[in-house]
Amino acid sequence: YLEQVKPRLLEGSVRGDVARSILRWSFEASLRLLHPFMPFITEELWTQLPGKGEPLLAGAAWPTPDEAQRDSAAEEGFQIVQSLIGAVRNARAEYNVSPGSRIPVDVQPATDKSREFIEMELGTIERLAKISAVTMAAKPEGVGSHSVLADGTGVFVSLGDAVNVERECNRLKQEHERLDRLLAAVSKKLTNEQFVTRAPPEVVDREHEKERSWREQRDAVAEKLRALGC
């Protein structure tokens, strides 16, 4: 929410004042709840908080829940927005997209409600995920990363102009080959009856864990290779 309202905080308007009021209320409630666990820092922050009712946080009452303030639809929608931003950021990190590059993203909303939430917060999504444009085509084309949010919304991050595809393919192929070699070695060890019967159980378990982890990594690299059309 703090990241979402930063542009509003820079405005000299009522919208900015409303955001400041909500942030202050949330911060005060957080300090009250954190005080038993972090008494010194919360007490110090409390002294800097304007408009507080109690001079000492230690003497302040717990926040009182108010069901009238709960908005389940807003929480659900904001979760979709957060997940969408996270999916784009993960794709940027996985494919080494330059932090300063803005990339196009195509979204296939799972429901009309999902589409409504996304369209309502397009500015927030584009700003926080560094997106050049959001489209909602039925079948996105080109080189890119696919992901699906918890509500079923599809996200396609176009990577053709954001990364050096040939160089990234070469890097991923080398990583795939490295993991293949590691898996071959551990598989050979685990099919060796003498090793399995003579080694301590915890040693054998560690080798099985290595095999599982490396196999998952290799599958992830293979999926990236497929997404880039390598």
Side-chain angles (χ1 to χ4, degrees), residues 59-77:
W62 289 106
T64 303
D66 182 359
E67 286 301 316
Q69 299 292 334
R70 183 178 295 279
D71 189 338
S72 299
E75 291 179 10
E76 178 185 349

Side-chain angles (χ1 to χ4, degrees), residues 14-36:
V14 174
R15 293 175 71 248
D17 292 338
V18 170
R20 289 185 187 88
S21 177
I22 294 173
L23 286 170
R24 188 207 172 284
W25 180 88
S26 302
F27 187 57
E28 179 180 328
S30 298
L31 289 180
R32 293 172 187 257
L33 292 170
L34 282 170
H35 186 63

Side-chain angles (χ1 to χ4, degrees), residues 191-227:
T191 54
N192 185 324
E193 187 176 349
Q194 288 188 345
F195 169 77
V196 174
T197 56
R198 295 181 181 179
E202 59 271 18
V203 173
V204 177
D205 289 343
R206 279 200 298 269
E207 295 302 310
H208 278 294
E209 179 60 27
K210 287 180 184 178
E211 183 183 39
R212 183 195 62 79
S213 176
W214 289 334
R215 194 176 302 281
E216 289 179 353
Q217 292 178 48
R218 188 188 62 177
D219 291 345
V221 170
E223 175 58 28
K224 290 180 182 179
L225 286 166
R226 186 201 62 77

